[in-house]
Amino acid sequence: DGTIPFWRELGERVHEHGSKFVLQLAHAGRQRDIPGIEFRTGLSSTGKPDPLHGFEAERATPAELEEIVRAFAAAAVRAREAGLDGVEIHGANGYLIDQFLHESANRRTDEYGGSIENRCRFLFEVVEEVVAAIGADRVGLRLAPSSSFGDMHDSDPAAVFDRAVVGV
């Protein structure tokens, strides 16, 4: 809430030049190498450590995932309160949503793992809540099916991302 005035001012400056301002919303998951931010142990789909930096990660519980879904929606509402035009959900490049999509990082056996449908569940929940919060016309989604950043890979990426795109 304390950053809303900053984003409002920045958004006004962007709008003065006739441009739109869309804020990217992300959860880094196990990739938590953001300068200046101190993290507790990262959360991931299955608790595999970050392959880039070796950071430890804990398997996110369903309750933690529900909290993260609500946080995405709350952040989208704050972006709109700040006068921004919309948000882009970051579901790529080894961040948390991407960790659920790829079998290389998702070894879960519950409703968030295994089948392609289950691996897409977290993405679908995030998109659904953000759209409900600010409207579909103000939400974008970033996916990167061919990116292997963060050791992301899958035996059938076309099937995973076909389902991800159709589902949202």
Side-chain angles (χ1 to χ4, degrees), residues 34-109:
I34 302 169
I37 298 179
E38 189 173 318
F39 291 90
R40 65 181 180 98
T41 300
L43 293 176
S44 78
S45 55
T46 51
K48 284 182 67 176
D50 170 21
L52 300 173
H53 305 95
F55 294 128
E56 292 300 316
E58 294 175 1
R59 178 183 183 268
T61 66
E64 288 170 321
L65 295 175
E66 288 176 24
E67 182 181 324
I68 293 167
V69 168
R70 286 192 302 271
F72 268 97
V77 168
R78 286 183 178 96
R80 290 294 297 140
E81 288 173 0
L84 306 185
D85 300 295
V87 299
E88 178 186 63
I89 298 167
H90 193 324
N93 306 108
Y95 277 27
L96 188 61
I97 292 171
D98 204 31
Q99 291 168 28
F100 276 86
L101 295 174
H102 291 277
E103 62 192 5
S104 64
N106 186 341
R107 304 263 200 255
R108 296 175 81 106
T109 58

